[in-house]
């Protein structure tokens, strides 16, 4: 079956880097997404990587993909208090089913 | 440009009742997916509608059913409600066909079953 695992909590100091890790089981995933959910708000796409890439950089965000090990990570450089949110790893098949992990709650201490 | 809108935002039902939740997709989107998000959990995929047909379905019982209208809006129906159906129900719209598959989420309908 399809499964997505991520650590539930991460706490960092403002200005440090945050790294959120994820493992998934569905090898047919063509897109690996990261969604962000702020308190009382809906989920928003943060970034994504296509399955034939191993790295993508987007301003403060770096996504690393190890397709062989089905391991995905999201690095946030210079983490700010406004980055405090829940981050969901979500493997998908580009327009079809997208599966979400339980989410990693990022706490940023000033 | 209106994003994804869902109604109602909150509702309370009792066990055994039936509920209908509604979703209007983002302008230009033709695909609607429904998710159930229990407290402290990630969204669980219920099903996806495209061209008025259920295209994909997650591991949810037949008590969960849906519909998509020609204007792409969608409904989620849940029959014979159980306490465990209490959750935030999220609607997400996207473009059908081969694309990045980015989902645009509404703010959800929070269902409480007593």
């Amino acid at each position: 079956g399809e499964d997505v695992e991520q650590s539930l909590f991460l706490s960092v100091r403002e200005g440090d880097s945050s790294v959120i890790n994820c493992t998934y089981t569905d090898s047919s995933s063509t897109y690996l997404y990261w969604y962000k959910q702020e308190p009382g708000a809906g989920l928003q796409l943060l970034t994504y990587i296509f399955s034939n890439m191993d790295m993508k950089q987007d301003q403060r965000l770096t996504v690393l993909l190890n397709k062989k090990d089905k391991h995905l990570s999201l690095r946030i450089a210079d983490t700010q208090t406004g980055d405090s949110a829940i981050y969901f790893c979500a493997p998908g098949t580009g327009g079809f089913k997208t599966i979400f992990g339980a989410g990693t709650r990022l706490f940023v201490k000033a | 440009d209106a994003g994804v809108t869902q109604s109602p935002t909150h509702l309370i039902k009792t066990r055994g009742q039936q509920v209908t939740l509604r979703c209007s997709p983002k302008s230009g989107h033709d695909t609607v997916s429904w998710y159930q998000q229990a407290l402290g959990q990630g969204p669980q995929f219920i099903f996806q509608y495209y061209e008025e047909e259920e295209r994909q379905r997650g591991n949810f019982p037949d008590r969960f059913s849906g519909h998509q209208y020609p204007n792409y809006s969608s409904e989620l129906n849940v029959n014979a409600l159980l306490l465990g159906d209490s959750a935030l129900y999220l609607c997400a719209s996207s473009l059908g066909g081969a694309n990045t598959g980015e989902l645009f989420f509404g703010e959800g309908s929070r269902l409480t079953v007593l």
Side-chain angles (χ1 to χ4, degrees):
Chain A
E2 302 141 341
D3 195 21
V4 181
E5 294 202 0
Q6 1 177 181
S7 52
L8 292 183
F9 298 98
L10 176 64
S11 180
V12 301
R13 291 194 179 277
E14 192 173 26
D16 287 350
S17 291
S18 307
V19 179
I20 301 171
N21 294 300
C22 165
T23 57
Y24 60 96
T25 57
D26 188 359
S27 56
S28 68
S29 300
T30 49
Y31 289 88
L32 295 306
Y33 308 97
W34 285 101
Y35 281 83
K36 178 181 180 182
Q37 186 175 37
E38 296 184 79
L43 282 82
Q44 283 191 304
L45 181 67
L46 198 59
T47 187
Y48 68 90
I49 188 168
F50 190 51
S51 60
N52 68 355
M53 300 168 67
D54 52 21
M55 187 184 88
K56 179 179 179 180
Q57 190 144 0
D58 184 359
Q59 299 182 351
R60 292 190 297 123
L61 306 177
T62 303
V63 179
L64 296 177
L65 173 61
N66 181 328
K67 193 174 178 182
K68 174 177 168 290
D69 294 339
K70 299 191 189 66
H71 182 267
L72 184 71
S73 69
L74 173 68
R75 178 176 179 268
I76 305 173
D78 186 25
T79 312
Q80 302 297 307
T81 54
D83 294 324
S84 293
I86 305 174
Y87 292 81
F88 293 95
C89 170
T93 48
F96 294 84
K97 184 164 61 174
T98 299
I99 302 300
F100 287 78
T104 298
R105 285 134 189 87
L106 175 64
F107 299 95
V108 183
K109 295 174 285 189
Chain B
D1 175 25
V4 179
T5 58
Q6 294 187 242
S7 64
T9 55
H10 295 82
L11 69 167
I12 299 173
K13 293 284 187 178
T14 56
R15 279 178 298 174
Q17 286 189 310
Q18 178 264 345
V19 68
T20 297
L21 308 178
R22 295 177 176 81
C23 172
S24 291
K26 180 179 165 65
S27 178
H29 284 183
D30 56 6
T31 302
V32 172
S33 301
W34 286 94
Y35 288 84
Q36 180 195 66
Q37 187 177 22
L39 203 59
Q41 302 294 317
Q44 299 295 307
F45 178 76
I46 303 175
F47 41 54
Q48 183 185 79
Y49 276 84
Y50 173 68
E51 293 187 342
E52 303 178 53
E53 298 272 337
E54 184 184 287
R55 180 160 73 169
Q56 295 254 314
R57 189 178 181 93
N59 294 324
F60 279 80
D62 292 345
R63 298 187 297 111
F64 290 77
S65 63
H67 189 80
Q68 186 179 35
Y69 294 93
N71 67 353
Y72 308 120
S73 67
S74 178
E75 289 180 352
L76 165 65
N77 301 294
V78 187
N79 293 325
L81 285 167
L82 304 174
L83 296 180
D85 295 331
S86 294
L88 180 68
Y89 288 85
L90 295 168
C91 169
S93 73
S94 57
L95 286 170
N99 58 78
T100 64
E102 178 179 358
L103 296 172
F104 289 78
F105 282 87
E107 294 197 358
S109 295
R110 185 163 295 283
L111 171 65
T112 302
V113 182
L114 302 177

